[in-house]
Amino acid sequence: MPIVVNKYLIGRHFVGIALWPFIVINNSFLKEDEVFINHEKIHLRQQAELLVVPFYFFYFTEYLFRVIQYRNLQQAYRNISFEREAYLNEDNLDYLKTRKLWSFIKYR
């Protein structure tokens, strides 16, 4: 999982993003943030499970649904099932060793 430092590849409201097979960050100091990198690795696993392109389709579809549901962009983002799984497990650096296939489904 290569880490790319480039502030122009991601929106200015984000510090990093998982874009299969890369983690793109806007500042090199984030390479040392194990919790942040683990969060993005969880997204890479989700992307691999859904064969990448369908992941993005489901991610953005759910985001739009959540925007309508919550009428708040930040709340919608935090309640996407993929994000819920990543945020709730980012502190567990061993999570990916025991994570079951398609675990994001239980976070809907």
Side-chain angles (χ1 to χ4, degrees), residues 21-62:
F22 305 100
I23 293 175
V24 181
I25 55 177
N26 68 359
N27 197 310
S28 61
F29 76 87
L30 288 168
K31 287 183 180 181
E32 309 305 319
D33 187 337
E34 291 180 328
V35 171
F36 174 78
I37 296 299
N38 192 48
H39 178 101
E40 297 306 327
K41 283 181 177 179
I42 292 168
H43 287 315
L44 289 177
R45 180 73 58 87
Q46 295 165 342
Q47 291 170 13
E49 288 173 349
L50 291 172
L51 305 176
V52 184
V53 174
F55 167 84
Y56 295 112
F57 173 78
F58 290 125
Y59 187 100
F60 290 114
T61 300
E62 185 174 354

Side-chain angles (χ1 to χ4, degrees), residues 13 19 43 56 63 70 78 87 95 99:
H13 299 292
L19 295 171
H43 287 315
Y56 295 112
Y63 177 68
Y70 294 109
R78 290 297 294 241
Y87 277 114
Y95 176 68
R99 180 184 180 273

Side-chain angles (χ1 to χ4, degrees), residues 38 42 85 89 92-99 103 107:
N38 192 48
I42 292 168
E85 178 187 14
N89 295 289
N92 180 357
L93 300 181
D94 293 323
Y95 176 68
L96 288 173
K97 294 176 185 173
T98 59
R99 180 184 180 273
S103 289
Y107 295 91

Side-chain angles (χ1 to χ4, degrees), residues 65-77:
F65 174 78
R66 300 291 180 201
V67 167
I68 292 166
Q69 179 182 14
Y70 294 109
R71 301 191 191 287
N72 178 295
L73 299 179
Q74 184 64 23
Q75 193 175 6
Y77 161 76

